[in-house]
Amino acid sequence: PETPVKVTVTGAAGQIGYALLFRIASGQLLGSDIPVELRLLEIPQAVKAAEGTAMELDDCAFPLLRGIEITDDPNVAFDGANVALLVGALPRKAGMERKDLLEANGGIFGPQGKAINDHAADDVRVLVVGNPANTNALIARSHAPDVPASRFTAMTRLDHNRALSQLAKKLDVPVTDIKKMTIWGNHSSTQYPDLFHAEVGGKIAAELVDETWLRETFIPTVAQRGAAIIQARGASSAASAANAAIDHVYDWYNGTAAGDWTSAAIVSDGSYGVPEGLVSSFPVTSRGGDWEIVQGLEIDAFSRERIDASVQELIEEREAVRALGLI
Ligand code: NAX
């Protein structure tokens, strides 16, 4: 029998974990013929809740699910991991300063990066979902010198999917008509969803909408969608975040469609003026299990200004975690 792919999920007892695990176990993360083994990492207080979720996973009798291990030890959780979904993070609490948030998450993502470095499989692929996702990925990566930088990514696929959906609604077309959407920069309110390269039926999306809508409705709606979900639902995005994580890893493994691309935050090689080493969102394709930044796009002044602003925020986050000794 085929060796199962080991998938580690941190924060497994959280709300994204609850929406994510069943889809992984059913084969949607990697492919409907690939058996998986789950490793669930939680903090000690939440191990029991993770055990409850594992009981429900058992009760689904998923044909592809070959085992579940639950632990509060990162060294055990990442042992032999082929895919690592870093979902668990410390949320910002009222009155907390950014520095405190970065520090608290450094305490999580530093040790997890080291555990990945020391114990994960050679082909490990890491997706950071927990916020601040880009900088948490930067921290994890800096503790994993033996793992290629290209294996550390952060999630902007939810922002990408939100952008597709907002544009599809505006133009009254199915989302499948839209190609080449891009989210640039940080997974935060400074992110830049780019309609100047997106295409709808072969036409540039920005030319199909008026500039006021693009500037005053589209960009802020996509960038602030997370807050709008909290307002409406009384809880942050969970199923849609899990869905985006599934999309990200599925495309990483199986490749992106010809003639299209997607968005992922990956370690910059300096493309488009984004300083090398920052984990920033780019237009990317995936081939043979590697992300590649789409090259040669012309960036006009409108886009340049917005990409630069988001990248500036990433630079500041990197300086802050450097000053705290977290990288
Ligand atoms: P929850 O608070 O429901 O769950 C988080 C879980 O992580 C908890 O069960 C907690 O015990 C666990 N945890 C905390 N520290 C841990 C550690 N050191 N090791 C293992 N587990 C640990 O949050 P949830 O709604 O599931 O969101 C998880 C993260 O995703 C948050 O940081 C959130 O901000 C982030 N998001 C990121 C998104 C993105 O697009 N990149 C969108 C959705 C979401 O907001």
Side-chain angles (χ1 to χ4, degrees):
E2 210 183 327
T3 320
V5 174
K6 283 189 183 149
V7 181
T8 303
V9 179
T10 77
Q15 52 153 6
I16 294 176
Y18 195 75
L20 181 59
L21 292 169
F22 297 85
R23 296 190 60 185
I24 299 172
S26 72
Q28 294 178 61
L29 185 75
L30 303 167
S32 56
D33 52 353
I34 302 179
V36 293
E37 205 180 295
L38 283 169
R39 296 285 174 82
L40 312 185
L41 180 67
E42 260 297 351
I43 53 174
Q45 311 85 283
V47 162
K48 186 142 189 275
E51 284 168 358
T53 305
M55 288 163 70
E56 283 201 74
L57 284 161
D58 281 343
D59 294 350
C60 295
F62 285 119
L64 293 171
L65 182 57
R66 296 299 148 79
I68 310 172
E69 195 171 331
I70 304 160
T71 177
D72 60 8
D73 180 352
N75 295 323
V76 173
F78 294 112
D79 187 34
N82 306 107
V83 180
L85 302 173
L86 309 191
V87 179
L90 201 97
R92 191 172 198 147
K93 294 182 189 116
M96 204 177 193
E97 292 195 24
R98 195 159 83 159
K99 177 177 159 291
D100 303 325
L101 181 75
L102 291 170
E103 196 157 30
N105 282 296
I108 295 174
F109 288 86
Q112 289 184 2
K114 182 164 188 336
I116 288 168
N117 189 68
D118 295 349
H119 300 287
D122 286 345
D123 70 347
V124 68
R125 286 181 172 74
V126 182
L127 171 62
V128 177
V129 175
N131 282 321
N134 301 53
T135 295
N136 287 340
L138 179 83
I139 294 169
R141 187 221 149 183
S142 80
H143 288 77
D146 304 333
V147 179
S150 60
R151 305 291 183 68
F152 283 89
T153 65
M155 191 167 93
T156 51
R157 186 61 173 263
L158 177 54
D159 309 298
H160 178 98
N161 288 343
R162 286 166 171 166
L164 287 177
S165 169
Q166 291 300 319
L167 181 64
K169 269 202 199 338
K170 171 75 176 172
L171 297 176
D172 196 20
V173 297
V175 284
T176 47
D177 280 12
I178 305 171
K179 310 283 180 224
K180 303 183 179 176
M181 180 64 76
T182 307
I183 303 293
W184 298 90
N186 200 1
H187 167 69
S188 76
S189 57
T190 67
Q191 68 178 263
Y192 173 52
D194 175 1
L195 293 190
F196 292 90
H197 300 100
E199 294 175 6
V200 185
K203 296 196 182 102
I204 294 296
E207 286 165 14
L208 301 174
V209 298
D210 63 87
E211 207 203 308
T212 313
W213 180 81
L214 192 162
R215 200 158 11 113
E216 289 171 22
T217 305
F218 174 73
I219 295 175
T221 300
V222 173
Q224 289 155 30
R225 184 72 165 177
I229 299 284
I230 294 174
Q231 276 266 316
R233 207 174 82 85
S236 58
S237 317
S240 56
N243 178 69
I246 295 276
D247 284 351
H248 178 114
V249 176
Y250 187 89
D251 285 355
W252 200 353
Y253 257 74
N254 296 288
T256 42
D260 200 1
W261 67 62
T262 186
S263 305
I266 67 173
V267 176
S268 177
D269 60 359
S271 293
Y272 296 103
V274 180
E276 213 179 318
L278 283 183
V279 179
S280 188
S281 189
F282 288 100
V284 290
T285 55
S286 152
R287 299 271 172 275
D290 291 311
W291 293 116
E292 247 176 63
I293 297 171
V294 175
Q295 295 296 336
L297 302 180
E298 264 186 54
I299 309 295
D300 68 6
F302 181 91
S303 295
R304 187 75 264 168
E305 187 187 325
R306 285 161 178 79
I307 294 170
D308 287 351
S310 195
V311 168
Q312 185 55 38
E313 184 182 45
L314 287 172
I315 292 171
E316 285 164 19
E317 287 182 15
R318 180 166 70 178
E319 279 166 6
V321 295
R322 228 180 231 150
L324 291 164
L326 299 173
I327 59 170

